[in-house]
């Protein structure tokens, strides 16, 4: 089974969460890993997160495409950090400390986890 990290069950279309792993040996949380980053155990148990996180680093990237996009490091309350794309605002308007949530309606088979700002203060017509 291909796991994308998004938990979008048919009866919960409004509440999208994340599936992450927790090591059964040292209890370290990680996202999309084959081995625990602390003890290298492969005994990882899937758990569900609500998906809300806080941006700890934000960059505007325009390589490989002609359009600028945002790549951010997001810290989750469960204890892991994940690099993802933040949409819904201009790439330069995503700030450190902003709360983000998973975008509902994304294609889980694409393999990319996309987030949006909880408090979008940016303009939608920035492009």
């Amino acid at each position: 089974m291909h796991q994308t990290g998004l938990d979008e069950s048919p009866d919960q279309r409004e509440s999208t969460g994340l599936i992450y792993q927790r090591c059964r040996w040292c209890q370290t949380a990680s996202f999309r890993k084959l081995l625990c980053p602390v003890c290298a155990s492969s005994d990882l148990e899937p758990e569900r997160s609500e998906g809300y996180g806080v941006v700890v680093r934000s960059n505007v990237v325009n390589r490989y495409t002609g359009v600028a996009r945002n790549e951010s490091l997001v810290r989750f309350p469960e204890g892991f950090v994940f690099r993802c794309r933040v949409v819904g605002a201009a790439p330069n308007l995503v700030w450190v400390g902003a709360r983000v949530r998973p975008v509902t309606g994304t294609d889980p088979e694409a393999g990319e986890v996309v987030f949006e700002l909880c408090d979008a203060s940016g303009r939608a017509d920035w492009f």
Side-chain angles (χ1 to χ4, degrees), residues 85-91 94 103 114-117 120-126:
R85 196 163 55 102
V86 178
V87 297
V94 177
V103 174
V114 180
F115 288 84
E116 64 185 355
L117 294 174
S121 61
R123 293 179 16 195
D125 62 345
W126 59 270

Side-chain angles (χ1 to χ4, degrees), residues 76-106:
F76 295 90
E78 291 80 13
F80 62 94
V81 176
F82 181 67
R83 179 184 298 161
C84 59
R85 196 163 55 102
V86 178
V87 297
N92 60 333
L93 295 179
V94 177
W95 65 94
V96 172
R99 286 185 38 102
V100 294
R101 64 178 171 246
V103 174
T104 57
T106 57

Side-chain angles (χ1 to χ4, degrees), residues 4-112:
T4 61
L6 286 176
D7 180 25
E8 204 173 2
S9 42
D11 57 343
Q12 295 178 337
R13 290 286 180 200
E14 291 302 316
S15 66
T16 302
L18 293 175
I19 301 296
Y20 67 98
Q21 296 93 15
R22 186 167 302 274
C23 178
R24 292 183 190 186
W25 290 93
C26 68
Q27 300 301 314
T28 300
S30 60
F31 187 71
R32 288 186 175 170
K33 301 286 184 186
L34 296 175
L35 299 174
C36 173
V38 174
C39 69
S41 170
S42 63
D43 195 6
L44 302 175
E45 180 176 274
E47 292 187 11
R48 186 179 187 280
S49 166
E50 290 301 316
Y52 289 91
V54 176
V55 175
V56 294
R57 186 173 185 187
S58 179
N59 290 323
V60 177
V61 180
N62 59 359
R63 66 177 175 262
Y64 307 123
T65 63
V67 179
R69 65 186 185 280
N70 178 278
E71 284 186 1
S72 296
L73 288 177
V74 176
R75 180 175 306 278
F76 295 90
E78 291 80 13
F80 62 94
V81 176
F82 181 67
R83 179 184 298 161
C84 59
R85 196 163 55 102
V86 178
V87 297
N92 60 333
L93 295 179
V94 177
W95 65 94
V96 172
R99 286 185 38 102
V100 294
R101 64 178 171 246
V103 174
T104 57
T106 57
D107 182 20
E109 294 302 319
E112 182 181 29

